[in-house]
Amino acid sequence: MSPLLLQSGTAPGIYWYANGMTLRNLDHLAPRAALAAGVLLFCAVAVLLLISGSPVKAYALIALVAAPFLGYVALTRPLVFPFGLYVLLIPFDNLLSTGSFGTITKLLGILSCGFFFLWTIRQHVPAPKSRSVFVLVALVLWMLLSATWALDQGVALQGIPTYAGLIVLYIVVTMVPVTVVQFRALLFLTVVSGLAAAAYGANVFYHDPSLAAAAETTRLIIRIGSTTIDPNQFANSLLFPVAIITMWALRTPRIVGKLAGIAGLSLFTVAILLSGSREALLGLALIVGYYLVRSRHRLTLALGAFAVFALAGGVQTTI
């Protein structure tokens, strides 16, 4: 094994053996290290938020410590950061308000677009030609048109910039080639954020005396200070993690993995029931129905769905 020689100007050479590790090996390890750092950053923000009670101080401290590393990752692997952190924080979007500007997730979405553009320019990636892009553009135009006959046009137009921004972000994401490892990492982050949100919501509901005492007539509404999460938006944010973890549980050959999947699905189902969101419950039923039709694991899915709904049957809910 040849040592790796690093030289800078006239400085003496530094020999680094590191068990024969090369720069190429480090390049393969970098996405995993960045993913781990992103998850740790997410956990640190959550802990500091609960301890300090001041989200501004917590975010400022984390940004100051992590800025150099995250800047490098954003320029070289924007799918890991800031887009990975954006995915992690989606269920908590309503709690991350920054005032008149919007939310932290909105800022991360804008940063993701910017770094994706920089990456595609550096890599000379051609513009996407997916037909779904034209469908989404047509959708925004139809939304603008439909606002003309809304009862309150001002309210109807308030959400248009958000939807347009999300579609722009989607279009830019389609310009970035995604490896299997990166795709699985994004799915993993989606499930982690969903499980954290579901667990936090269930914990709030059963440990808040005012909510637990009137469980049959009260919906789960997460509050921190003067900000709240709409119960429908909270439950809807759990549907994509439900779809992911369901397929993982179906495809894994290990019994432990299937049991872990059932446990995760039970937690998601309980959180959706506590939210009292009928639209999210309908979405959950549609996911299960779609998999029953399209998946070859129908029997396993049917048994798992029966077990999950049996466990969730004892949940007191406004539904």
Side-chain angles (χ1 to χ4, degrees):
M1 295 182 294
S2 300
L4 180 64
L5 177 61
L6 300 178
Q7 290 185 329
S8 176
T10 59
I14 301 175
Y15 291 91
W16 181 28
Y17 291 86
N19 296 323
M21 184 170 290
T22 64
L23 286 176
R24 187 173 182 180
N25 297 136
L26 290 175
D27 189 61
H28 286 298
L29 291 175
R32 298 182 182 179
L35 173 62
V39 174
L40 291 176
L41 178 64
F42 172 71
C43 297
V45 168
V47 171
L48 288 175
L49 180 61
L50 295 175
I51 294 176
S52 67
S54 174
V56 176
K57 293 181 180 179
Y59 301 144
L61 178 61
I62 291 296
L64 181 64
V65 174
F69 171 76
L70 294 180
Y72 169 76
V73 176
L75 288 172
T76 57
R77 292 175 176 81
L79 278 171
V80 175
F81 177 85
F83 189 67
L85 184 59
Y86 170 83
V87 171
L88 269 176
L89 296 179
I90 283 177
F92 306 97
D93 175 63
N94 296 50
L95 298 179
L96 304 175
S97 175
T98 59
S100 59
F101 175 77
T103 62
I104 294 294
T105 48
K106 178 181 178 180
L107 174 61
L108 289 172
I110 294 174
L111 289 175
S112 297
C113 277
F115 283 111
F116 282 146
F117 271 124
L118 288 176
W119 189 91
T120 54
I121 292 173
R122 289 175 55 216
Q123 301 294 327
H124 305 287
V125 177
K129 299 180 180 179
S130 173
R131 287 181 294 178
S132 59
V133 171
F134 299 101
V135 174
L136 288 174
V137 172
L139 174 62
V140 172
L141 295 176
W142 172 250
M143 292 169 65
L144 285 170
L145 178 62
S146 66
T148 59
W149 59 75
L151 296 177
D152 190 332
Q153 293 185 0
V155 174
L157 292 173
Q158 284 180 358
I160 298 297
T162 299
Y163 288 112
L166 291 173
I167 290 174
V168 170
L169 177 59
Y170 171 83
I171 293 173
V172 176
V173 169
T174 63
M175 300 168 64
V176 181
V178 181
T179 66
V180 174
V181 174
Q182 291 171 334
F183 182 68
R184 289 176 177 173
L186 291 175
L187 296 183
F188 172 75
L189 293 177
T190 303
V191 172
V192 167
S193 64
L195 288 173
Y200 181 76
N203 179 72
V204 167
F205 189 88
Y206 287 115
H207 287 83
D208 187 330
S210 62
L211 294 177
E216 294 183 353
T217 58
T218 305
R219 303 174 67 178
L220 169 61
I221 300 178
I222 299 177
R223 294 183 177 89
I224 295 182
S226 60
T227 57
T228 61
I229 297 182
D230 180 89
N232 288 311
Q233 293 186 16
F234 171 78
N236 290 338
S237 69
L238 304 180
L239 291 178
F240 188 38
V242 164
I244 297 170
I245 201 172
T246 300
M247 187 51 62
W248 278 353
L250 290 175
R251 297 186 65 178
T252 180
R254 300 179 179 178
I255 298 299
V256 175
K258 293 185 181 298
L259 293 177
I262 290 177
L265 288 171
S266 299
L267 178 59
F268 282 131
T269 305
V270 168
I272 291 174
L273 290 173
L274 293 177
S275 72
S277 176
R278 290 170 294 177
E279 63 186 50
L281 189 62
L282 176 61
L284 179 61
L286 289 173
I287 290 172
V288 174
Y290 179 80
Y291 283 167
L292 282 173
V293 173
R294 297 298 302 271
S295 175
R296 55 195 175 104
H297 306 283
R298 295 181 180 86
L299 179 60
T300 304
L301 176 59
L303 294 175
F306 177 80
V308 168
F309 284 109
L311 291 172
V315 178
Q316 293 180 319
T317 174
T318 56
I319 293 180

